[in-house]
Amino acid sequence: PKGGGPAGGGAPPKKKPSPPSHVLTLGEINPNVLSAQYAVRGELVQRAAAIKEEMAAGSANVPFKKVLECNIGNPQAVGQSPIGFNRQVLSLMVCPALLDQPGVDALFAPDAIARAKEYLAAIPSGVGAYSDSQGFRIVREQVADFISSRDGLPASPEDIFLTDGASKGVGFLLSLILRGGGSDGLLVPIPQYPLYSATLALQETHMLGYELDEAAGWSLPISLLEAELEDAQAKGVATRALVVINPGNPTGNSLPYDNMVECIDFCAKHGLVLMADEVYQENIWDGGRPFHSFKKVLMEMSPRPNLQLVSFHSTSKGFLGECGLRGGYFEIVGFDPEVKAQLLKLISIGLCSNTLGQIATGLMVQPPRPGDASYEIYSGERDAILASMKRRATMLVDGLNALEGVTCNQPQGAMYAFPSITLPPKAIAAAKDAGKVPDTFYALALLEATGIVVVPGSGFGQKEGTWHFRTTFLPPESEMTDVVDRMTAFHADFMGKYA
C-alpha cells in the first residue's frame, strides 16, 4: 500500500500492556496473614532445616553430627515407635483385601483383625470415601464410651465431632464463637500455645492474655482473669471465651481441682464459653496432680453452673504420638441445638475430617482390654513409653536447674520444660544489635553450637522482663544425657562470653 502504512490504512495497533510479573505481592495479600506468627515452626526451625540440608550435601561447617528437634511435640519424628495394635488395624483398613489373603492370621493379631472387621462392617464404603461431616458414627460412639468411662458420667455421640487433630477443632469453635469486626476478645493463658495467637490474628480478634504464676508452679490466679476481663470491658472489647490448656503447654502445669472449679464459676458468672484444651491428659508426671476433665468437674458441682463447655483431645500426644495421622475430637456441653446445627454446617463446608485420623481416634479411645490377644503387648508398649518420658523429663529438668541463671519447674504433665533464663546485660545488648529478641538470640546460638532446636519463650508470650525457652523431653532416652551435656557446655560458654 502507498504511504508505507499498514495494510488497509489506519493507525498501527496499540501494543498490549505486559501482564504484571506477580499477581500477588506482600502488599496485596491478607494483612492478617502477615501479622500471624507461629513460633513452633518459626525462625529456629527454618534455620535448622537449612542446616540439615547443608549436612546432607556435605557442606555444613557445624560442630555436631545431628540436629535434635526439641521444638515440637512430635514423638515419632525423634524415634518413638508407633503402637503395634493400632498400626495393624490401620493397615487392614487401608487394604481390606489383606483380610482375605492366606496367612493373614499369622501376620495380624486376632483382635486387630476383629477390630478391622468391626469398623468395615460399620463403614462399608471404607476409608477412601467421605464420612459424615461429624465423623464416623461408630468412632463417635467409642469416644462417648471413653468419656463415660473416664468421668463416670454419660456422654452422647451426638455431642462429639471428629476433627483433624485438636487444632482443627479449635479453629472451628473460634470461627463459630468470634463474630469478626475487631471488637471480640478471647482470654488466653500466657505463656500460650501459638495456635491461639495466630488464629486470633487471622480473625482480627483481641488476644486477652492472662499471665500464669510461674513462682507458684504456673498456677492460674482467678483475680487476673477478673482484672483482664474488666480491662477489656473498659476498652469496649466483648470477651467471648476462656481458653484453658490443661495439662499446660508450654508450662507443663496440671491444674488442681479447686482451681478448675474457680474457672468454671468465672465463665458461668460472665457468660463465657470455656474451651478446655485437654490433649495431654495421658501425660501426667505428678501423682499428686491427677488429671480431671473440666466436664467431670462441672458435672460434680452443686448447684451445677449454667456453662457452655468445649473439650478437645488428640491422637498426637499422650503415648501414641500419632501426629501425622491428624486424629482428634471435641465434645460440646450445654450448647443450644440451633447453635449446634450451625456448628455442623460450618464443619460440613470442609466435608469431613480425614478418615484414617478418625480410625486412629477410635483406637486411642478403645484400646485392647485385659484378656484381648494384644493387651499384654499393647500395655507393655504404653507403660514403657510413659515411664521413659517421665525419666527423661526428670533428667532434663535436673540438668537445666544446674545451669547458671536458669530455673525450671518440674513438669506435672505434658511433654515440655519451660525454663526461665537470666541473661547477662551484654547478651541482651548483643541481641539488640543483631535485631533479635534476647531469648531468640540465645536459642539461635544454642542451635548453631549444639544442633538442639528449642522455641524462644517470646513465641509463647511471657511476663515482661523475663526470658524463657520451651524444649520437649522427647529425644530417645539414650540421647538425653548427650542433650543435657550439650546444653550445659553451650550455656557455660555463652554466659562466659557475655559476662
Side-chain angles (χ1 to χ4, degrees), residues 50-90:
I51 291 173
K52 287 197 290 185
E53 288 181 6
E54 294 167 5
M55 293 175 75
S59 60
N61 183 21
V62 292
F64 48 85
K65 296 180 179 179
K66 181 180 179 181
V67 171
L68 286 170
E69 293 168 314
C70 298
N71 60 295
I72 190 168
N74 193 14
Q76 294 185 30
V78 289
Q80 180 177 307
S81 297
I83 298 294
F85 173 81
N86 296 21
R87 287 303 181 91
Q88 288 186 45
V89 177
L90 288 166

Side-chain angles (χ1 to χ4, degrees), residues 176-464:
L176 181 78
I177 293 168
L178 303 174
R179 298 167 296 184
S183 62
D184 282 352
L186 188 76
L187 283 163
V188 178
I190 298 296
Q192 52 95 31
Y193 181 51
L195 163 69
Y196 296 97
S197 55
T199 304
L200 297 182
L202 291 173
Q203 298 197 14
E204 293 186 282
T205 297
H206 297 271
M207 191 178 91
L208 310 174
Y210 61 92
E211 290 182 353
L212 303 177
D213 186 349
E214 184 173 11
W218 298 110
S219 64
L220 197 169
I222 299 301
S223 60
L224 288 184
L225 292 179
E226 294 284 2
E228 192 65 39
L229 182 68
E230 184 177 341
D231 184 60
Q233 290 172 337
K235 295 175 180 176
V237 175
T239 305
R240 304 285 290 160
L242 167 69
V243 173
V244 179
I245 307 173
N246 183 47
N249 176 10
T251 55
N253 63 313
S254 183
L255 292 180
Y257 191 98
D258 291 347
N259 202 183
M260 297 173 72
V261 169
E262 292 176 325
C263 291
I264 290 170
D265 281 336
F266 170 80
C267 288
K269 172 184 174 182
H270 296 290
L272 306 180
V273 177
L274 175 53
M275 298 178 65
D277 185 334
E278 297 177 338
V279 302
Y280 298 99
Q281 59 188 262
E282 295 285 350
N283 302 105
I284 297 295
W285 316 123
D286 182 347
R289 286 284 180 88
F291 171 77
H292 301 287
S293 74
F294 268 98
K295 180 182 179 182
K296 178 178 174 66
V297 175
L298 170 65
M299 296 301 177
E300 290 179 346
M301 293 173 67
S302 181
R304 184 184 305 164
N306 183 21
L307 179 73
Q308 290 178 308
L309 168 68
V310 191
S311 303
F312 304 91
H313 197 10
S314 168
T315 65
S316 300
K317 310 306 177 187
F319 56 89
L320 297 183
E322 292 285 16
C323 303
L325 291 179
R326 309 308 300 134
Y329 72 82
F330 64 82
E331 181 191 23
I332 57 174
V333 175
F335 275 60
D336 183 281
E338 292 183 347
V339 173
K340 181 177 168 182
Q342 293 301 308
L343 175 60
L344 181 57
K345 179 184 75 175
L346 175 64
I347 292 170
S348 299
I349 295 171
L351 297 175
C352 68
S353 61
N354 87 88
T355 55
L356 286 180
Q358 293 186 43
I359 298 299
T361 301
L363 295 167
M364 173 182 71
V365 298
Q366 193 177 98
R369 296 185 172 94
D372 291 347
S374 296
Y375 177 74
E376 293 300 327
I377 294 175
Y378 173 89
S379 60
E381 292 171 332
R382 176 198 64 203
D383 295 348
I385 290 169
L386 291 173
S388 176
M389 279 189 187
K390 185 173 182 178
R391 289 192 298 270
R392 284 176 276 170
T394 301
M395 191 184 309
L396 177 62
V397 172
D398 287 350
L400 290 168
N401 280 323
L403 303 181
E404 177 190 355
V406 175
T407 58
C408 186
N409 287 317
Q410 284 287 349
Q412 298 163 337
M415 297 177 170
Y416 314 102
F418 196 64
S420 172
I421 329 165
T422 301
L423 294 173
K426 287 184 179 179
I428 294 174
K432 183 178 180 181
D433 291 342
K436 302 292 182 186
V437 178
D439 51 14
T440 300
F441 181 77
Y442 178 92
L444 282 167
L446 175 67
L447 170 61
E448 298 289 351
T450 67
I452 298 172
V453 191
V454 299
V455 187
S458 49
F460 299 92
Q462 54 197 342
K463 186 175 182 179
E464 187 174 354

Side-chain angles (χ1 to χ4, degrees), residues 453-493:
V453 191
V454 299
V455 187
S458 49
F460 299 92
Q462 54 197 342
K463 186 175 182 179
E464 187 174 354
T466 67
W467 309 111
H468 300 77
F469 64 84
R470 188 191 79 168
T471 176
T472 71
F473 38 82
L474 294 177
E477 193 167 354
S478 60
E479 297 180 11
M480 283 306 297
T481 299
D482 182 51
V483 171
V484 173
D485 288 346
R486 287 198 217 179
M487 283 186 169
T488 300
F490 161 77
H491 188 79
D493 290 344

